[in-house]
Amino acid sequence: MCRSKTNNIGFTLIELLVVLAIMALTMSLTGGLILKNIGKQQRFVEIEKVKNLLKVVSYESFFNGRNTVVSFRDKSILIKGNNRREIEFKELIFLPSEINFNMYGMSSKTSFSIIVNGG
């Protein structure tokens, strides 16, 4: 009798399915944590953006020698000064308030309220 040698190189279908099942289980356990951390980072970035924006408005008021009003409403900030602009945010919700910057770059308030969306 002649036996033919078969050279089986590779993985069987069962082995591949087991690996895929393990990967799916791992992703289901860690996927939510990863998405939660991404949301936290987006909120942190938006808070830093607000801080930097208020610094820029203060400098613009000083260098232009004009008063500027910053209004906080819902998910946006409206800047009324030399050029009127509105900035929208995804993760932050602002309580209605206003900050006035005089021509010396000084503000009428030192704080404002933010509600973090989903956190």
Side-chain angles (χ1 to χ4, degrees):
M1 275 206 217
C2 234
R3 279 191 171 171
S4 65
K5 283 189 173 181
T6 57
N7 198 2
N8 292 334
I9 298 176
F11 299 105
T12 64
L13 180 61
I14 298 296
E15 292 170 333
L16 291 174
L17 288 175
V18 168
V19 169
L20 286 176
I22 291 171
M23 287 175 59
L25 180 65
T26 305
M27 289 301 294
S28 68
L29 293 174
T30 60
L33 296 174
I34 291 170
L35 292 177
K36 186 177 178 183
N37 286 335
I38 290 172
K40 283 183 181 179
Q41 288 301 316
Q42 287 174 340
R43 288 189 287 277
F44 178 75
V45 166
E46 287 188 356
I47 289 171
E48 289 299 316
K49 186 176 177 181
V50 170
K51 288 179 186 178
N52 290 332
L53 180 67
L54 291 176
K55 286 180 187 177
V56 168
V57 169
S58 173
Y59 295 147
E60 285 177 353
S61 294
F62 177 74
F63 289 119
N64 293 329
R66 294 189 176 171
N67 295 344
T68 305
V69 178
V70 178
S71 299
F72 299 94
R73 284 184 179 56
D74 296 327
K75 290 187 164 209
S76 66
I77 295 177
L78 178 64
I79 302 169
K80 303 172 212 163
N82 277 348
N83 50 354
R84 185 182 175 105
R85 57 188 186 254
E86 186 171 1
I87 295 113
E88 295 284 330
F89 294 90
K90 292 180 182 178
E91 296 288 329
L92 302 179
I93 300 171
F94 302 98
L95 295 179
S97 64
E98 283 188 349
I99 297 178
N100 296 313
F101 289 92
N102 63 17
M103 59 189 221
Y104 303 111
M106 304 299 290
S107 65
S108 61
K109 288 174 132 179
T110 57
S111 64
F112 57 93
S113 299
I114 297 175
I115 300 172
V116 178
N117 190 16

